[in-house]
Amino acid sequence: MRHIISILLENEAGALSRVSGLFSARGYNIESLTVAPTEDESLSRMTIVTSGSGDVIEQITKQLNKLVEVVKVVDLFEAPHIERELMLIKVRATAKDRDDMKRMSDIFRGRIIDVSEDTYTIELTGTGHKLDAFIEALGRSVILETARTGACGISRGQRVLRI
Amino acid sequence: MELSGAEILIKCLQAEKVEYVFGYPGGAVLFIYDELFKQNKVKHVLVRHEQGATHAADGYSRSSRKVGVALVTSGPGVTNAVTGIATAYMDSIPMVIISGQVPTHAIGLDAFQECDAVGITRPCVKHNFLVKDVKDLALTIKKAFYLASTGRPGPVLVDIPKDVTTDKCKFEYPETISMRSYNPVVKGHSGQIKKAAQLLIEAQRPMIYAGGGVILSDAAPQLTKLVRMLGFPCTNTLMGLGGFPATDKHFVGMLGMHGTYEANMAMQNCDVLVAIGARFDDRVIGDPAHFGQVPRKIIHIDIDPSSISKRVRVDVPIVGHVPDVLDDLIKLIDAGKQRPDAKALGAWWEQIKQWKTKDCLRYDRKSKIIKPQFVLEKLYEITKGDAIVTSDVGQHQMWAAQFYKFDKPRRWINSGGLGTMGFGLPAAMGAQLANPGASVVCVTGEASFQMCIQELSTCKQYRLPIKIINLNNRYMGMVRQWQQFFHGNRYSESYMDALPDFVKLAESYGHVGISIEKPADVEPALKEAFKRTEELVFMDFITDQTENVYPMVGGGKGLTEMILAEEL
C-alpha cells in the first residue's frame, strides 16, 4: 500500500544520503522524495512516498527514527491529510493549438507561466493522479518536457509535525 | 590559548579516559601521531593492518565494556578498517574510529590517498562525521563517544582532514551533551511490563531466550535472578553466551543453527517466549514461517524498537534498557502473590529432560585422531572455565560455543553477526590489553587464522601472552560441511594445500609453537602452554578432517528440522 512519510531532520550535509541509503540498503521502495529547509533553518522536511505492507512501513518508520539526524517521523496515512505535487510542463503550442492548450490548462486550473512562439510552459499543482490525468488529457505527442517535484503532504486540522 | 586540531583530539581522548588507541600511521594523520608521541596518557598499539586495529579495539571493548578506539589514515587506511567497523556494527559494539582525510581544499579532487570515508562507512556505522572546521572538533568527538556508548551501541567514525589537525582554536571539552534528534529510551513502559509479568505467571511452557543485548547492557545479574526466581528454562544465543551461567541447571544450551536439540525444541514448543536483547535472526530461529506454525505469546525486551517485530511479530514489545526493564519486571513479580504453575512447569521440565537424552553434542571419544570437541572440552577443564575466549568464524567457533561453558559475561568474544574470519587474533589482543592478568585464548582454524596472521608480530611487540588453539583440519571446515550436506560432496575450493608450518611460523615471530597430533598429547600440550604465562603459545592441533558440527539446522529450514549426528 502507498504511504507518505514526512520526516523532520537536521539540515546537515549528508543527512539526505543517510535516508536514501537506508532505503536502498534495506530494499524499501521510493516512489518520490522531496526535501527542503523548513521555516526553522536548522531543520529540513523530507517527504517520501513509498509502498509496502504494514510490517514494512512499520520497519521503515522505525529505521528512519534510528538515524541520528532524524528528529521526527510521521506516516501521514495514519490520519486525514492533504497531498500536493507541482509539475512544470512544456507543451507544443503552435498557432492552431494555442487556444486548445489554454483551455485545457484552465480546466485543470493550471497557469501558463512562460510563452514562446510555439510553446507554453504550464504550472500545475494537485495530487499525483491529477497531474497524470492532465498528461493523459493533453496526449503525449504535444508534451516536450515535464518536471515534477514529487508529492509533499501535510496533516489536516490540528495535527502538526514540528519539534 | 589556542590549540591545534591534533592537540585537541588527544585532549579529547584523554578526557574520555581512553587507555589504548589501536592504529596505524600515515600521511593524513601525521600531526595526530606527533601529538600522541608527546604524551603518555593515551597509549598507542601499533597493529600490522588496519583491520587488526578495528578488531582489536572491538575485542578491547567487548571484554571491558569501555569504548574501543581505532586510529587510521585516509584512503586505504580507512578502507582496510571497514571490515572491522562492519563487524562491530553487526554486533552493536561501542567503538570510535578516527580516520585521517586529505586536506579540506583537496576533498573531491581525487587527491592521493583520498576516499569518501563517510560515504563508504555510512551503511556500517551507527553514525559518522566529517569535521570540516577545527571549532567543531571537540564537540564532534564528544558526540562520537556519546553515540557509540548509549542506546543500542555501535561504531562511530570521525573523519578529520589534515588541515583541521593543524588549524587552531580554543579548546573546551563539553561536560555533558544532549542532542534533540537522539534520545534513547531507558525505562520500559510500565503497562507493558505488567502485561509481561502476567503472561509469565500464567505460562505453562515458558522459555527465556537471551541474546547479546544482555551482555552489552550488563544485565547478566538481572537475567540470572529472573530465571532462577521463576524456575524457567533459559537459552542463550551465540552472542549471549555468558549472559546466563552455562553450568546453571536452568540452562538448556545455545539455540539456533548449531544449538542444542533441547534448546531448539523448547524454543519451538514453548507457549510463552521472552526474548531479551535478541533479534530472532535467521541463524537463531531458522525459517520464520516454520517458527510461526506453533502458537505462542512473545514478549520482546530490547533497546532498539526496530529489532522488535522485524522478523517475528511479538505480542508484548518492551522498549528499554534491559537491566532497567528486568529490574522492574522482577520487582513486579516479587511484589505480586502469584507464582508460576508448578505442576505445568514440572511437566515442561520433564519434556525438556526427555529432549536432553538425545545427547546431541556427543562425539566419538575413542577416536585415534584428535576430535576438535575434545580439545575444547580439555581447554574448558584446564582453564576452569575462566578464560576469555575469542574465536574466528567457522566450525571451531561453533564447537567453542557448544563446549566451553561460559558462566560469566564478556568472556566469549566472537563475530556473530558479520561472521568475520580473521577476527579472533586481533580481538584477543584487545582483550588481553584490557585484562592484563587474564588467560586469553583465541580459538581458531588454519583458514581463519591466516586472514589476520600478521598480528602475531603485534603480539610480540606488546608481549601479549595469548594462547592460540588452532583446530587444523586443512579445510575451510564449515564450507566443507555445507558442501558435504548440500552440494553433493563437491569440495569446491575448500581444501587448503600448502599450509605453512605453523610451529615454525610462530617461532619466526618470536613465539612458542607446539604441534599436537595425538589425542593423548592434547592435555599435556594445553597444560604446558598455560604454564607459559609470559609467552604467546601457538598450538597447532591436527584434527579430524571429516568432523562436522551437530546439530545443524540447514539454511532456510525450520528450527526443529535438525540434522543430528546419529542420522548420518
Side-chain angles (χ1 to χ4, degrees), chain A residues 2 4 31-34 47 49 82-88 108-110 122-135 146-154:
Chain A
R2 186 169 172 272
I4 300 180
E31 206 174 283
S32 71
L33 184 159
T34 68
T47 309
V49 179
I82 302 155
E83 160 187 358
R84 288 291 181 274
E85 182 175 354
L86 168 69
M87 172 167 69
L88 302 179
F108 279 83
R109 298 180 193 206
I122 302 165
E123 171 198 318
L124 188 67
T125 57
T127 62
H129 289 307
K130 177 180 160 182
L131 305 189
D132 292 341
F134 185 59
I135 288 171
T146 58
R148 294 173 70 155
T149 58
C152 74
I154 204 159

Side-chain angles (χ1 to χ4, degrees), chain A residues 11-58:
Chain A
N11 185 7
E12 280 170 11
L16 167 63
S17 55
R18 277 182 222 284
V19 174
S20 60
L22 169 71
F23 274 73
S24 62
R26 294 195 181 262
Y28 306 141
N29 299 314
I30 296 186
E31 206 174 283
S32 71
L33 184 159
T34 68
V35 60
T38 63
E39 75 284 2
D40 170 356
E41 272 178 24
S42 69
L43 285 174
S44 292
R45 177 160 176 152
M46 188 183 280
T47 309
I48 297 179
V49 179
T50 183
S51 56
S53 64
D55 286 350
V56 170
I57 300 296
E58 182 183 328

Side-chain angles (χ1 to χ4, degrees), chain B residues 52-362:
Chain B
T54 39
H55 289 330
D58 183 321
Y60 175 86
S61 174
R62 292 188 205 224
S63 64
S64 71
R65 68 176 59 79
K66 294 178 203 158
V67 177
V69 181
L71 169 60
V72 299
T73 194
S74 65
V78 72
T79 56
N80 279 346
V82 167
T83 298
I85 297 171
T87 303
Y89 181 66
M90 285 294 271
D91 291 344
S92 307
I93 306 304
M95 263 166 60
V96 171
I97 303 96
I98 315 277
S99 58
Q101 181 55 280
V102 301
T104 47
H105 57 79
I107 290 177
L109 303 178
D110 302 318
F112 176 65
Q113 291 196 330
E114 179 183 0
C115 77
D116 175 10
V118 165
I120 286 173
T121 58
R122 189 176 294 125
C124 62
V125 291
K126 182 168 173 184
H127 197 59
N128 57 17
F129 299 94
L130 169 64
V131 184
K132 282 188 173 164
D133 187 333
V134 69
K135 289 190 200 79
D136 300 330
L137 183 58
L139 182 63
T140 305
I141 299 294
K142 181 79 190 175
K143 279 185 185 172
F145 276 87
Y146 172 62
L147 288 171
S149 57
T150 54
R152 180 175 179 175
V156 177
L157 177 127
V158 184
D159 199 30
I160 310 178
K162 192 168 184 179
D163 53 337
V164 173
T165 64
T166 53
D167 287 351
K168 291 189 167 184
C169 79
K170 204 165 160 272
F171 171 63
E172 212 175 331
Y173 200 62
E175 288 277 310
T176 56
I177 191 156
S178 80
M179 295 166 74
R180 64 177 172 186
S181 59
Y182 177 77
N183 298 294
V185 177
V186 175
K187 279 290 193 192
H189 188 279
S190 60
Q192 294 293 87
I193 294 173
K194 236 178 244 170
K195 270 192 219 163
Q198 197 55 38
L199 272 179
L200 288 176
I201 297 297
E202 289 165 7
Q204 304 283 300
R205 301 185 310 280
M207 178 73 166
I208 294 181
Y209 144 60
V214 170
I215 310 282
L216 290 166
S217 65
D218 296 312
Q222 286 87 345
L223 173 65
T224 308
K225 193 170 171 192
L226 180 76
V227 173
R228 286 179 180 161
M229 162 180 164
L230 292 168
F232 290 178
C234 177
T235 180
N236 279 148
T237 68
L238 180 67
M239 293 308 299
L241 294 174
F244 185 77
T247 53
D248 190 284
K249 63 177 180 178
H250 299 96
F251 190 63
V252 294
M254 179 175 79
L255 85 166
M257 184 171 269
H258 295 293
T260 65
Y261 184 77
E262 52 273 26
N264 287 350
M265 292 302 282
M267 182 80 175
Q268 181 80 359
N269 293 296
C270 65
D271 71 337
V272 173
L273 176 65
V274 195
I276 308 173
R279 58 190 177 89
F280 294 92
D281 90 273
D282 55 306
R283 288 298 194 261
V284 166
I285 59 151
D287 174 19
H290 181 275
F291 186 66
Q293 284 169 5
V294 181
R296 63 177 89 69
K297 292 281 182 202
I298 303 179
I299 301 159
H300 192 171
I301 305 168
D302 205 288
I303 189 108
D304 178 6
S306 75
S307 279
I308 296 176
S309 292
K310 183 169 69 178
R311 295 191 79 237
V312 169
R313 271 263 141 219
V314 309
D315 303 280
V316 184
I318 305 175
V319 177
H321 190 49
V322 169
D324 286 69
V325 174
L326 291 186
D327 274 337
D328 289 351
L329 191 58
I330 289 166
K331 249 185 250 161
L332 200 66
I333 296 172
D334 237 355
K337 289 200 181 81
Q338 291 172 289
R339 287 291 169 262
D341 178 347
K343 208 171 143 211
L345 198 55
W348 178 229
W349 272 113
E350 262 320 300
Q351 170 69 76
I352 291 169
K353 266 180 208 143
Q354 203 62 49
W355 287 326
K356 260 190 190 161
T357 58
K358 282 258 183 196
D359 191 14
C360 66
L361 297 180
R362 71 172 179 277

